[in-house]
Amino acid sequence: MVMARGIVLTLLMLSLAILLSGVSVSAHATNSAEAHAGRAPFGFIEKLGGRHKGEKNVTDLRKLKAYLNRFGYPCSDDHSHDDEFDTSLEAAIKAYQMNYRLTPTGVLDKETVEKMMAPRCGYPDTVNRTVQLATGMMMKKQSGSLRTVSHYNFFPNQPRWPLSKTNLRYTFFSNLPDYARQPIANAFGQWEAATRFTFEYVTAVNKADLTIGFYSGEHGDGDAFDGPGGILAHAFAPTNGRMHFDETENWSTDPTPGAMHLETVAVHEIGHLLGLDHSQVQEAIMYATIAPGVSKVLQPDDKEGIRVLYS
């Protein structure tokens, strides 16, 4: 009888081990969505809903101005008016709204607040060209002839890899978790199938064109990560080659509610490594924001952008 009980207990323990080994990778991420609900870095913006030009002594307006300055929408640097909804803030909000195809009211309406709170890439948006495109788009809409057009963007001065260089070698730093390797390799595969480039994994850092690592907070490149639900990752324009992910995010290898799909974010950041800036097309992989649980693949706007850049 004792032996039989021992066998049963052993079988139960083996079954439990097998079940645990199949748990989604998102359960192994540093943080869970539930643990950080309501504490996302951009959560303060929700309290500013409805604010408009002329209001003064508004708590957290200085944080909003810092947010807009960081992501490419300059506000006044006159810190004596940090808590005032002034003309410069209204103009920055209008530019943001135009860039994201929202009605440019300059007011923190519900749609604008929701967009600003979304997890996003850490690289700033390119405002000048996209705002011009958005203005033209709104004029077409008003005339009743709205058409779908390309809204990809390049970095200032259009940096790119030399046309003679078609094979890019990448490597992983030791701080990158094992579960992240295959999704990132898959992301390179998406770009390889759609471009002139091939991508080769190498183990030696000194032989790599592209380096990939996981970090938190300040990590030496002047662009600190801010914790779960804020800046997801960032990468640098050609030919810098660095791509960094926020290790505190709740990453998943499959689309999972409440978690960020690692391959999708990696495809976006590789686009930066190749020379693409953010797109205005929400379906495009190069769109700056993405919601938890959402996965994307390369879209026509992304492919057209990279084709034009390297034509």
Side-chain angles (χ1 to χ4, degrees):
M1 181 68 70
V2 173
M3 183 178 294
R5 288 179 179 173
I7 292 172
V8 170
L9 181 59
T10 300
L11 289 173
L12 287 172
M13 292 178 67
L14 285 172
S15 299
L16 179 60
I18 292 171
L19 286 171
L20 288 175
S21 67
V23 172
S24 169
V25 123
S26 64
H28 297 291
T30 309
N31 299 276
S32 68
E34 292 80 3
H36 294 273
R39 293 195 288 125
F42 306 148
F44 71 92
I45 301 175
E46 185 173 17
K47 300 177 183 178
L48 296 173
R51 297 293 186 176
H52 54 81
K53 180 182 174 182
E55 296 189 75
K56 299 181 179 180
N57 301 318
V58 180
T59 302
D60 287 340
L61 270 190
R62 66 183 60 215
K63 289 184 180 180
L64 179 64
K65 292 180 179 181
Y67 170 102
L68 289 165
N69 279 319
R70 177 168 190 173
F71 294 122
Y73 306 89
C75 297
S76 171
D77 55 3
D78 181 359
H79 297 296
S80 65
H81 298 287
D82 273 353
D83 61 354
E84 178 181 344
F85 202 125
D86 53 17
T87 300
S88 68
L89 177 56
E90 181 187 52
I93 292 173
K94 283 184 178 180
Y96 181 94
Q97 290 167 328
M98 293 167 71
N99 192 43
Y100 285 94
R101 299 183 174 187
L102 304 172
T103 304
T105 61
V107 176
L108 287 169
D109 53 42
K110 180 180 178 182
E111 292 76 15
T112 303
V113 167
E114 288 179 351
K115 181 62 64 178
M116 287 182 171
M117 289 176 61
R120 61 163 294 150
C121 171
Y123 201 91
D125 300 330
T126 297
V127 177
N128 291 341
R129 178 172 178 265
T130 50
V131 167
Q132 292 169 1
L133 288 170
T135 304
M137 183 193 70
M138 286 186 294
M139 290 174 65
K140 291 177 184 177
K141 185 174 182 181
Q142 290 170 358
S143 67
S145 58
L146 179 63
R147 295 181 292 119
T148 300
V149 295
S150 295
H151 289 284
Y152 54 80
N153 278 291
F154 306 133
F155 293 110
N157 301 319
Q158 297 189 15
R160 63 182 183 179
W161 294 91
L163 294 180
S164 60
K165 189 173 184 62
T166 59
N167 181 63
L168 294 175
R169 295 166 295 182
Y170 69 93
T171 194
F172 299 131
F173 286 134
S174 59
N175 60 9
L176 188 131
D178 288 342
Y179 73 78
R181 290 174 174 261
Q182 191 58 54
I184 295 174
N186 294 344
F188 278 114
Q190 286 195 45
W191 280 109
E192 184 166 312
T195 67
R196 59 196 285 274
F197 291 103
T198 58
F199 299 94
E200 176 188 359
Y201 173 73
V202 295
T203 56
V205 173
N206 62 353
K207 293 183 179 180
D209 303 297
L210 314 172
T211 57
I212 306 152
F214 271 45
Y215 302 89
S216 63
E218 293 284 356
H219 53 281
D221 63 6
D223 194 6
F225 286 127
D226 52 7
I231 296 173
L232 304 171
H234 55 236
F236 295 81
T239 54
N240 183 294
R242 290 179 294 168
M243 180 164 69
H244 301 161
F245 295 84
D246 186 345
E247 67 182 6
T248 71
E249 290 294 339
N250 184 34
W251 295 109
S252 67
T253 55
D254 296 305
T256 304
M260 305 309 304
H261 187 232
L262 181 56
E263 182 177 337
T264 295
V265 176
V267 178
H268 176 100
E269 299 304 333
I270 294 168
H272 287 325
L273 294 178
L274 296 179
L276 289 181
D277 203 342
H278 291 148
S279 170
Q280 281 187 284
V281 178
Q282 188 166 358
E283 294 75 23
I285 202 73
M286 294 311 298
Y287 195 68
T289 70
I290 188 166
V294 173
S295 66
K296 288 183 179 181
V297 295
L298 288 172
Q299 297 298 313
D301 187 73
D302 308 304
K303 297 176 183 179
E304 177 68 5
I306 206 72
R307 185 194 68 76
V308 171
L309 181 60
Y310 286 94
S311 63

